[in-house]
Amino acid sequence: MITIKYKKVAVRALAFLFPLSSFLFSSCSDQMEYKEYSIYDTAYMQKKFERAGGFLSTIYADLDSDFGNYDGATLASATDEAVYSHGGASIESFYNGAWSASNANSSLWTTCYHGIAYCNLFLDEFTGLKFEDYELDKNYMAEMYQYNNYQWEARWARAYFYFLLVRQYGGVPLITTNMSADEATRQPRATADEVFKFIDDECMAIKDSITEDYGDLGDLAMTPANNGRANNLAVLALRARAALYHASPLFNANNDKSLWQKAAQANKEVLDACSGRKMKLSSDYKGLFIGNTNWSDANAVGEIIFGRRMPTENRTFETNNFPVGMSGAGANGGGGNCPTLNLVEAYEEGDSRFAQTIACNGDSWPNANTVPLETFIGGINGLPTAYATPTGYYLKKYVTESVQIAGNGANTCKHVWVTFRLGEFYLNYAEALFNLSGDGYTAPSGSPATATAAYYINQIRKRAGLGNIAEGLSAAEFKAAYEKERFVELAFEGHRFFDVRRWKEADKYFTNIRGMEITKNADGTFTETPKTIQTRQWNDKMYLFPIPQSEILKSGGSLTQNPGW
């Protein structure tokens, strides 16, 4: 557990919102710098607006992303989405038997409680300041508007950290005030229901107070580019996603329909709020995940509710995930997180998302690669070359194809992790409706005729160039079709690892991992043979993470371990 005392604490203000100087500092520059803040007391904080903004930036810097947190592997490679081409990476502990309370994959526990401690400190000690020395400053009202909004952003961030914790661990210590390290480490676990209630209560309390639109504040807006900050849509989105998780089998063993009703209401509120703001599904699915442009492109901004902007431009994700054996100036990529045949077979013929997510044998990709991909056995980009794709496919989604990773033209790009986007909430709402009505084609009692799971799934399929979901499916068949739709729409966005857990279906999806073995025939044609390439271990205790053994020991017995660990 982490706690923070505000006396003589160094706070690093990470430049995580690359163009958004108004968020952190009273500056017109488009670039933000790393700064060190030594917080001694309230009087110190009150001397400059930027100190409060810097404090908030530290909180935002603890928000999650997944551009390769496990030695370059993403969580997708611990699911049926992908296989990481580098053997021995830490991602393998999720399925090779090495996972334990002493090898707990616990960075999120540490990061979230770090963020929670900063939120509590800010809310307890640094709200209600007046900055009297700046009252005659021409920007004083705008600065004060920003500062007064920070408390709502901090409460949103704290609730979000608790969502990350509860989906991973179930019940966790619920710490909502700044306290000493000894007090914090000895807090017992709240129940999962209590944590979900806290998240919901916080979101309800702040949704009408936090800024709705940072780009529409008139004279109070320092710059128009503030879509990297949590607004009221981010609050509604957090509440809706948390409600869906709470209603799911992992946390709702008795299938309490009132939880599904709450999930339906919360997700519909997101859809209605986005519609009221003229937001809609982007016509450019691929563009949603290109960090150079998705924070400013009208198509992407119209769908993205909140994105976690990474602090610096780099090419690490591209280097890790570009194909091995690239020709020309592209140099050699790392192979990386390679899509599985499990995922490939989930796409229907004509689904435009396939080519925007997965690179196949014969594709001309990425830009710097001058020869079409050869992922067949013995091909330039195929086995047995070290780190070549074991599945027959490479990853496109989130990978910026215009990057050159070596040579005189080597360049970098921005990366934005899409935390919430509109497409997710169409699917969330469909799932809640299905679980309320019991089939995909009937609206729950008292709902509009269009309030069917099929209707909202079809909105997603339409963007992908597909027809409506099949009619007449049984409940079991419809459920499988929905899960497949979610699989492909949200691939590599960090959902699959937790979706399958909350459905309690990991033994169905996560054990048999398949790839395509491609051989080139003498006449230039190819033979494709589906293969099981990994048989992974699964134990039901893995639906929740183990609490780190170090935290159990520090608690003096206050913390109890999750079952089975």
Side-chain angles (χ1 to χ4, degrees), residues 396-410:
K396 286 184 179 178
K397 192 169 178 179
Y398 267 123
V399 181
T400 303
E401 62 189 305
S402 61
V403 166
Q404 183 173 313
I405 61 176
N408 292 334

Side-chain angles (χ1 to χ4, degrees), residues 495-506:
H495 291 276
R496 185 70 173 176
F497 185 92
F498 294 103
D499 278 344
V500 171
R501 281 173 162 78
R502 66 182 175 84
W503 296 330
K504 299 194 74 173
E505 294 182 336

Side-chain angles (χ1 to χ4, degrees), residues 398-474:
Y398 267 123
V399 181
T400 303
E401 62 189 305
S402 61
V403 166
Q404 183 173 313
I405 61 176
N408 292 334
N411 59 345
T412 59
C413 64
K414 300 178 176 72
H415 296 87
V416 178
W417 183 253
V418 179
T419 306
F420 298 120
R421 66 177 176 92
L422 183 57
E424 174 197 341
F425 296 93
Y426 280 98
L427 294 172
N428 290 358
Y429 188 44
E431 184 174 342
L433 291 172
F434 171 74
N435 280 279
L436 279 175
S437 66
D439 73 66
Y441 314 101
T442 304
S445 177
S447 301
T450 56
T452 68
Y455 176 85
Y456 285 93
I457 292 171
N458 290 339
Q459 307 314 302
I460 294 291
R461 291 173 61 84
K462 187 183 303 181
R463 192 246 304 269
L466 299 174
N468 289 344
I469 193 169
E471 294 287 341
L473 298 177
S474 68

Side-chain angles (χ1 to χ4, degrees), residues 13 29 41-42 58 72 139 245 273 335 343 367 373 375 377 390 431 476 481 521:
S29 170
D41 52 30
T42 304
T58 302
N139 295 322
Y245 271 71
L343 176 60
N367 292 358
L373 290 178
T375 65
I377 303 299
E431 184 174 342
N521 304 316

Side-chain angles (χ1 to χ4, degrees), residues 160-286:
Y160 182 75
F161 290 133
Y162 274 117
F163 168 72
L164 297 180
L165 288 165
V166 73
R167 77 171 180 179
Q168 189 156 303
Y169 296 101
V172 293
L174 194 54
I175 301 171
T176 59
T177 60
N178 186 42
M179 58 179 60
S180 71
D182 184 64
E183 287 178 294
T185 57
R186 294 181 182 276
Q187 295 302 304
R189 298 176 69 174
T191 66
D193 287 342
E194 289 169 337
V195 178
F196 279 117
K197 183 179 187 303
F198 173 79
I199 295 166
D200 190 72
D201 288 348
E202 282 292 277
C203 290
M204 289 297 291
I206 68 176
K207 69 184 181 72
D208 296 325
S209 298
I210 196 169
T211 295
E212 288 191 11
D213 185 352
Y214 293 101
D216 187 28
L217 295 175
D219 292 339
L220 296 178
M222 297 293 286
T223 76
N226 278 299
N227 58 351
R229 300 171 62 181
N231 61 10
N232 79 317
L233 286 181
V235 175
L236 296 178
L238 170 58
R239 178 174 181 257
R241 186 190 288 176
L244 185 76
Y245 271 71
H246 195 194
S248 298
L250 182 60
F251 300 106
N252 184 16
N254 296 322
N255 197 27
D256 181 348
K257 293 294 186 181
S258 70
L259 294 181
W260 286 114
Q261 181 64 52
K262 187 172 184 177
Q265 174 271 323
N267 281 279
K268 184 59 161 59
E269 188 173 356
V270 174
L271 298 182
D272 289 345
C274 288
S275 176
R277 216 162 295 181
K278 309 299 184 186
M279 295 177 68
K280 60 183 181 179
L281 297 177
S282 172
S283 61
D284 180 13
Y285 177 83
K286 175 183 174 182

